[in-house]
Amino acid sequence: MRSRTPDRLCAEAVDLARQAVVESVGESVVGAHVKANADAERLVTHTFECLDPAYRGWHWAVTVARAPRAKNVTLDEVALLPGPDAVLAPQWVPWSERLLPGDLGPGDLLPTGADDLRLEPGWSGEDEPAPNSVLAEAADEDLVIAEPGIQPPPARAEIGAVADELGLGRPRVLSRIGLHQAAERWETAYGPQTPMAQSAPASCNTCGFLIPIGGSLGQAFGVCGNEFGPADGQVVSLAYGCGAHSEAAVLPAPPVPSELILDETVVEPLHIHPDRTSGSVEPDAPAEELGHS
């Protein structure tokens, strides 16, 4: 497109444009006139320098216009626009992409999208039975199968009670993508490639403090139950390990002292010397008094 020639009356309305900026923001932040660009026929934008130190590289843009066959120029709008060297805020990123693990605090709510790939529909007991199924026919026609050896279809309420006991009463459950992402996070935090596991004497699959978990992830992960370990209460890989392994260094049992043996069948003679000067027996007492014959 070829550049338009600015309308003469609009291009000459520099004082009108400056006065509009001064009335809006004050004279101290309005600098010299830079240029006038033709946006359309009888539509011109005047540019002024911005002297506000908080907006380095920005400029004031004032658009003026003139009606056909009119001699009066009117004000259209005043705006602060960034230039090529302006300091701009970083591009806005949705909160779901800015959120990091550990950002959730007490009282915070973290919504999950309906199309979250980490989740997939589960059996909640509230879904309608499949068309043309036995449950659908029984619900629609109130049929009861009375043939010998065939039990009537269970009521949906009974199925829901069994599902709750089995943990199937949730609207959504983890998909395979969600399971794989969780396994990758746990493997990175407490896996065999961590420095702690590389220097451990043994892995967690032989540790007595490992608490097994159910489900498919239980084949590769468990929960540490050692309060002195670095991963107490955390999901750890079975190939992880630390120095607090239950069999890493077993303390020897302290020696048990032997029982005191008292032999009451042996009589030990007691020799009393005649020259004894103290005691209950006189030194010159006869031998009969000393117990000698």
Side-chain angles (χ1 to χ4, degrees), residues 8-34:
R8 182 180 62 84
L9 294 179
C10 291
E12 293 176 353
V14 177
D15 295 338
L16 174 65
R18 174 182 287 276
Q19 184 63 27
V21 182
V22 171
E23 292 179 357
S24 299
V25 297
E27 188 175 0
S28 60
V29 294
V30 181
H33 182 265
V34 178

Side-chain angles (χ1 to χ4, degrees), residues 114-128:
D115 55 349
D116 196 324
L117 297 178
R118 300 173 300 171
L119 299 172
E120 62 184 7
W123 196 91
S124 62
E126 300 178 356
D127 301 331
E128 293 295 332

Side-chain angles (χ1 to χ4, degrees), residues 185-192 194 196-197 200 204 207 209-211 213 221-245:
R185 292 194 306 271
W186 300 342
E187 192 81 10
T188 302
Y190 298 102
T194 58
M196 180 66 71
C204 291
C207 182
F209 295 109
L210 182 72
I211 302 174
I213 61 176
F221 297 95
V223 177
C224 177
N226 188 351
E227 61 177 328
F228 299 107
D232 179 38
Q234 304 295 328
V235 178
V236 297
S237 170
L238 297 182
Y240 180 73
C242 67
H245 192 282

Side-chain angles (χ1 to χ4, degrees), residues 192-289:
Q193 302 302 323
T194 58
M196 180 66 71
Q198 294 291 329
S199 59
S203 57
C204 291
N205 59 346
T206 59
C207 182
F209 295 109
L210 182 72
I211 302 174
I213 61 176
S216 58
L217 292 178
Q219 303 176 8
F221 297 95
V223 177
C224 177
N226 188 351
E227 61 177 328
F228 299 107
D232 179 38
Q234 304 295 328
V235 178
V236 297
S237 170
L238 297 182
Y240 180 73
C242 67
H245 192 282
S246 61
E247 312 304 323
V250 180
L251 296 176
V256 178
S258 59
E259 297 182 359
L260 179 62
I261 300 176
L262 178 60
D263 190 356
E264 299 179 350
T265 62
V266 178
V267 178
E268 297 181 357
L270 180 61
H271 300 282
I272 299 178
H273 298 280
D275 56 351
R276 183 175 177 181
T277 59
S278 63
S280 59
V281 180
E282 295 296 333
D284 54 354
E288 290 80 8
E289 296 182 5

